[in-house]
Amino acid sequence: LEAQDAGLRTVLLGADTPLDDVAIALQRSGCDAVVLASSVDPPEGLLDRELPRLVRLVSVPVFVGGGAALRHRAAITAAGATALGATPEEGVRLITTALTPGKPRT
């Protein structure tokens, strides 16, 4: 809701969507960024194998938010993604700042 209030268009996927499917959804939707969020710790292998693979596959910024992002900031950064802040407002601010000016916000 915070993203929509900021004028961002969102494409919501299910909680257990495989990251390869996220890449496919990105291609089909034409979004300007990928935003993942989780309050629980990710399964083994997600941060050290799957997230870096997603970052390599897509040509847009990848952001990770939620409680898991706060606990695993270093691993998210090492994967090439951006860990978002502690609040939805802070996360939306970081996303909008990172997106290329002049492009439609999605």
Side-chain angles (χ1 to χ4, degrees):
L1 293 175
E2 190 70 34
Q4 290 175 343
D5 288 346
L8 301 173
R9 182 178 60 90
T10 59
V11 177
L12 300 176
L13 303 175
D16 293 322
T17 302
L19 294 188
D20 285 343
D21 290 351
V22 171
I24 293 167
L26 171 73
Q27 291 172 340
R28 291 182 180 166
S29 68
C31 289
D32 294 325
V34 171
V35 180
L36 308 170
S38 179
S39 59
V40 298
D41 286 337
E44 187 173 328
L46 190 131
L47 294 177
D48 61 347
R49 289 190 306 271
E50 294 180 47
L51 184 59
R53 183 177 189 294
L54 175 66
V55 170
R56 287 191 308 272
L57 282 174
V58 301
S59 59
V60 299
V62 176
F63 301 94
V64 182
L70 295 174
R71 292 186 298 278
H72 300 284
R73 182 174 297 276
I76 291 165
T77 301
T82 300
L84 297 176
T87 67
E89 297 85 1
E90 185 179 352
V92 168
R93 183 185 55 76
L94 289 169
I95 292 166
T96 57
T97 300
L99 293 178
T100 305
K103 284 183 84 175
R105 293 183 185 172
T106 57

